[in-house]
Amino acid sequence: MPALHALIVVDPQVDFCPGGALAVANGDSIMPHINTMMPSFDKVFITQDWHPEGHSSFASQHEGAVAYSMIDMAYGSQTLWPDHCIAGSVGADFHPDLNTDYAAAIIRKGMNPMVDSYSAFFENDQTTTTGLGDLLRAHDIGSVTLVGLATDFCVAWSAADAAKLGFNVTIDLKACRAIDLNGSLDKSLDVMRSVGVTLTH
């Protein structure tokens, strides 16, 4: 089993912080904690939501739809979101308080206009890979700790996929914040525990 341990920082972006288009309460407060964690890991990887304009997961693209409602897509159920993290926009930038100097790589996701991508490893069709799993193996990573935004969506999906790919997975909840949409936080914690993810506080 590879011995190296990576920190994966999930979507620490302006649009997911207070004042952003899809703000997570206190999302900005985790940045200093993440910065202090980075030097203690062998490698750091950062993911970045990077949507084209008019992405199919945006409520604005579905007549009569409202943000946070659900719709059936070809690949399954999909939450409809406010327009956010549009490629090249200020909202898609990393939060200015985040130190990106330690990043070995930045993984952009959500670029396919027809498929959303919560996980750092797979798009929501659960088939199309981002390449992160292979990248971690190329760096001899056996264990990953995940932090970032939001606990119950992109962090949780990333953690579950990492566990399914055979990595030892921990989530540091001190450095995560949740949307908690209709009980989504508790549901996501249960799913993560069920696939062997370690949750720390």
Side-chain angles (χ1 to χ4, degrees):
M1 185 72 172
L4 298 187
H5 193 170
L7 179 68
I8 300 175
V9 185
V10 179
D11 299 354
Q13 293 166 264
V14 169
D15 266 347
F16 295 130
C17 292
L22 182 42
V24 179
N26 300 311
D28 55 339
S29 67
I30 66 175
M31 304 304 164
H33 184 56
I34 293 172
N35 290 342
T36 63
M37 294 174 70
M38 289 181 178
S40 63
F41 288 84
D42 298 299
K43 297 284 183 179
V44 176
F45 299 89
I46 306 176
T47 73
Q48 189 173 25
D49 225 20
W50 200 253
H51 295 305
E53 290 187 14
H55 194 275
S56 61
S57 69
F58 295 165
S60 63
Q61 301 305 302
H62 302 271
E63 187 174 355
V66 295
Y68 309 107
S69 62
M70 297 293 294
I71 192 172
D72 288 329
M73 304 285 274
Y75 52 85
S77 296
Q78 171 67 50
T79 302
L80 295 179
W81 304 106
D83 292 26
H84 67 279
C85 294
I86 295 171
S89 70
V90 171
D93 288 345
F94 292 129
H95 191 277
D97 290 348
L98 182 78
N99 179 4
T100 61
D101 292 349
Y102 286 96
I106 293 167
I107 307 299
R108 287 178 170 168
K109 59 189 183 67
M111 292 182 288
N112 182 337
M114 299 310 298
V115 184
D116 206 1
S117 188
Y118 297 160
S119 171
F121 294 90
F122 294 97
E123 293 183 355
N124 286 7
D125 62 8
Q126 291 292 289
T127 301
T128 307
T129 177
T130 66
L132 179 56
D134 290 337
L135 184 61
L136 293 176
R137 292 190 178 97
H139 283 272
D140 205 31
I141 302 297
S143 300
V144 296
T145 293
L146 287 93
V147 294
L149 304 169
T151 314
D152 41 344
F153 286 92
C154 294
V155 175
W157 284 51
S158 299
D161 281 345
K164 291 170 188 174
L165 289 171
F167 296 99
N168 296 317
V169 186
T170 300
I171 287 187
D172 186 340
L173 293 170
K174 290 182 299 184
C176 301
R177 294 293 182 271
I179 297 173
D180 203 9
L181 188 63
N182 300 318
S184 57
L185 178 57
D186 284 343
K187 291 175 186 174
S188 70
L189 296 176
D190 287 344
V191 168
M192 287 188 281
R193 291 187 188 102
S194 74
V195 295
V197 174
T198 299
L199 305 175
T200 67
H201 297 275

